[in-house]
Amino acid sequence: MKLHVQRFGEGADIVLLHGWGLHAEVWSDVAQQLAARFRVTLIDLPGHGRSASLQDYSLSRVAASIAEVAPPHAIWLGWSLGGMVAMHIATTLPSRVTALILVASTPQFVRDDDWRHAMDEAVLESFAQALQENHAQTVQRFLALQTRGAAQGQDTLRRLRNAVMQYPPHLDALRGGLAILRNTRLRPHLRKITWPVKIILGER
């Protein structure tokens, strides 16, 4: 399959993976700063931005397609769903990863009895139902949640909306991504991660 990849800068390799419903252009400001010290690789996840989608939209398939176009050794920086893809690559292809940076990401997005600081499954289910009715509006609602409470939130939201709607995500990728977030449990595999990990979380 064909994924949209951008590379620029010089230095050690760093791969940036965006979150659900977005595409790599949301990293543009960060990527330009990183390019002063790193060779940056930006990848649109399957079915997002300018990348083709997958018939079998599973975490393993998404991760395998990303690994095919990524540098052989890199720091991996993943936001939300992108962080889950990065964690999967880190635990299944450990030689490909030199460090891991997770932004608003977790090995399990859904709350259960022994994992309380996570999302109620009903929230993800409501997004899935809303996708059936109006997927463009659902993505807009998701973007608004990302900027809630932020300084200059309305300006940030406007920029995010303009960037995302330039290359709208495929509906099947949105459905598949939500299924990954709802069903994936990577916690049992975390002991396989032995290199440096930086976790960046927000108040909400």
Side-chain angles (χ1 to χ4, degrees), residues 32-126:
Q32 290 300 327
Q33 295 181 57
L34 288 174
R37 297 176 50 204
F38 298 94
R39 186 172 78 138
V40 177
T41 298
L42 299 176
I43 305 172
D44 287 344
L45 296 180
H48 294 72
R50 286 167 278 185
S51 287
S53 195
L54 290 165
Q55 289 186 337
D56 171 20
Y57 211 96
S58 63
L59 179 59
S60 59
R61 287 288 309 280
V62 170
S65 68
I66 295 292
E68 285 181 5
V69 299
H73 307 285
I75 300 167
W76 289 74
L77 192 169
W79 174 9
S80 190
L81 175 61
M84 189 165 266
V85 174
M87 277 184 272
H88 183 83
I89 291 171
T91 58
T92 57
L93 300 168
S95 65
R96 304 288 301 273
V97 179
T98 59
L100 196 59
I101 304 170
L102 305 174
V103 178
S105 194
T106 171
Q108 180 177 322
F109 274 82
V110 173
R111 184 183 307 151
D112 62 24
D113 291 341
D114 65 344
W115 188 253
R116 304 304 300 168
H117 299 287
M119 186 179 295
D120 191 316
E121 187 171 2
V123 175
L124 284 175
E125 186 59 37
S126 71

